[in-house]
Amino acid sequence: RGPGAGGGRVQAPAPAAAREVLEGLRAKQQLEPQLQALSRKLCQELVPEFLGARATEAEASGSTLSFGPGGGGGDFAAGLEAAAAFVVHQVLGSSREAVALFARWFWPDVAQLVIERLLRPAEEREGFAELAQAAQRLEGTAEGLGLVPGDVRHGGGQGPLSHYCEEVFRKLTSREQLPSLLAARKALVAMDWGEEPAGKPLPRATFEAVLSGLQRGGDGGAGGSRQKTVQDWEAWLEAFARRHDGLRLIDFTATGEYRITRSAREIEGLVAGLLQRSESCGNRFVQRCLLDAVANVAAMYRLLPPLRFKEKLQALAPSFVYCNDCMHLADLGCAWLAHHPGRDSEGQMLAEMDRLRAHGRRLTSGALMEATDALLDTLDECEGLHRCHLPHRQRRIAGQLGSMAAQIHRHGATLRPLLRPMDYAKAMASILQLVLDRLCQDVLELRDISVEESESLPKLLQPLLQAVVAAGAPMQGDELQMLHAVAGLAPSLGKLKQLTSLLDAPLVDIVRRWESGLLARVGFTAAEVADFVRAVFAPTELRQGSLQRILGE
């Protein structure tokens, strides 16, 4: 428009700029047929040279494709990478415009040839994973050269080769894993909490060997006064075996019997089938899929029951049975890996088994804490142990301590049939440690213990101590001595027993026990013993001298 037609003026392009644009368009029109012809020629003649021989050889022999170093599937990728780099740098002079035009025809045809000639025929054969990696590496090199145009990319920016390989992997993985995962989900949704025995009973030989070795310090030339070597223990075990009806092998790996759910038994069969298939399968990719399926089943067992049965698993018995399930399945997977090391998915499977174990323990920790809190709440109802000789206080304290003894007996009766012997000892010790420690503190906090109180306290504490001893006693004579294990894991038990006996002990006996180290070994400090002496005994020269010996003054 002129100046008066619209208030503005549009300048025409400069003649030189117009000529440059027109020349560029003519050059592009002339270049496109040439690049298209070059792409067609390469795809018809050069690319098949790298692909055809290998595919033909495999089809003729009917054997699995082998794509390893020195004659493997990387050959075709290396050849095509070299050819593509030569065309881009030497033929096209690294011109971005020329490379972009060339890529429009070249890469879609190359990708289609690689898929049809190599990838698709090898989908079900050994070595497909290695072949797919070579194809993806080739596409990465082509992308770096600018040969993968945007209009052939799929979601996430994937090129056609990477997209195809991932789709095949997804299909094969689903085929191998989906039936097992569906079966596992069905079993866990309809969780059967009925219990079945598992594990192996502790052999009598193991029980006797452990106790004999701990009590006697070993024999058979080992000597009890020096540090035992491996050879010493081997000689002692040989002597032990000769003394016991010619027994030559002692199974120290047995952990004892325990209970698992019927659903865990069903999952165990499923996992065992997957592991057996992986062991007998020669295809490494299928092996990896099967082991991944085992890891996924373990993850489902870790996540699904706690979501569906949250309230049930807050109770003591169900939480420990579920923990047994987790340990049982984790032991199954880890034992298989120990005999078949070096598998591709070993790290993922081991990590999932560790998470399964940790999750089972975490659930039982919550249930144990609730049981402990209930005992401590019952103890709080005593409102301390002072004036326990008075009739109304005596009835109140005796009632609460009796209730605690009943709870401890109930917990022991619940957990003993469910757990391995050592797991049972740890669980009961976890419940008892805080409770017994609190009882010790309540007694030691008394600042003036009369003769009547010192006579009443042992009688009041006796039912509780009897319940603790009963909870730690073995069910059968040939089992591991639970009482020793519980006492070792709950040191406050020994402290409370000593404290109960100190209430009616003479002062000289208390000093002798301290100086011999007996009281220190069960957890007493010099200050606690001194405060106890001040609370029980009247101030005399004997008490003063005893306190000086206890405190080391």
Side-chain angles (χ1 to χ4, degrees), residues 444 446-447 449 526-536 547 551:
L444 292 172
L446 297 175
R447 290 295 172 253
I449 303 176
E528 288 176 336
V529 177
D531 289 341
F532 178 80
V533 168
R534 293 189 187 98
V536 173
L547 289 174
L551 296 173

Side-chain angles (χ1 to χ4, degrees), residues 505-515 537 542 546 549:
L507 182 55
V508 291
D509 188 34
I510 296 175
V511 175
R512 181 186 59 79
R513 295 189 198 186
W514 172 255
E515 291 180 337
F537 297 96
L542 177 61
S546 299
R549 291 171 63 182

Side-chain angles (χ1 to χ4, degrees), residues 50-111:
F50 298 108
L51 305 180
R54 184 153 315 281
T56 304
E57 177 186 349
E59 291 172 2
S61 62
S63 62
T64 38
L65 296 172
S66 176
F67 301 101
D75 292 353
F76 85 91
L80 287 177
E81 288 171 3
F86 177 82
V87 171
V88 169
H89 297 306
Q90 303 299 324
V91 178
L92 303 180
S94 301
S95 169
R96 294 180 60 184
E97 293 79 4
V99 171
L101 287 172
F102 177 70
R104 288 172 52 190
W105 298 285
F106 179 68
W107 192 250
D109 291 343
V110 170

Side-chain angles (χ1 to χ4, degrees), residues 70 99 105 129 171 205 217 288 337 391 421 437 455 511 517:
V99 171
W105 298 285
K171 180 184 70 175
R288 187 162 62 246
L337 285 175
D437 187 60
E455 292 176 351
V511 175

Side-chain angles (χ1 to χ4, degrees), residues 202-220:
L202 283 173
R204 184 179 181 86
T206 303
F207 158 75
E208 291 183 351
V210 172
L211 283 189
S212 178
L214 291 176
Q215 293 168 358
R216 298 168 56 182
D219 55 8

Side-chain angles (χ1 to χ4, degrees), residues 24 70 86 99 126 173 184 190 209 265 296 303 319 322 344 354 364 386 389 467 489 518 540 545:
F86 177 82
V99 171
E126 170 70 13
T173 301
R265 185 69 77 192
N296 291 334
L303 298 173
S319 67
Y322 173 73
D344 289 343
D354 287 340
T364 58
H386 58 281
H389 62 291
L489 295 169
L518 177 61
T540 62

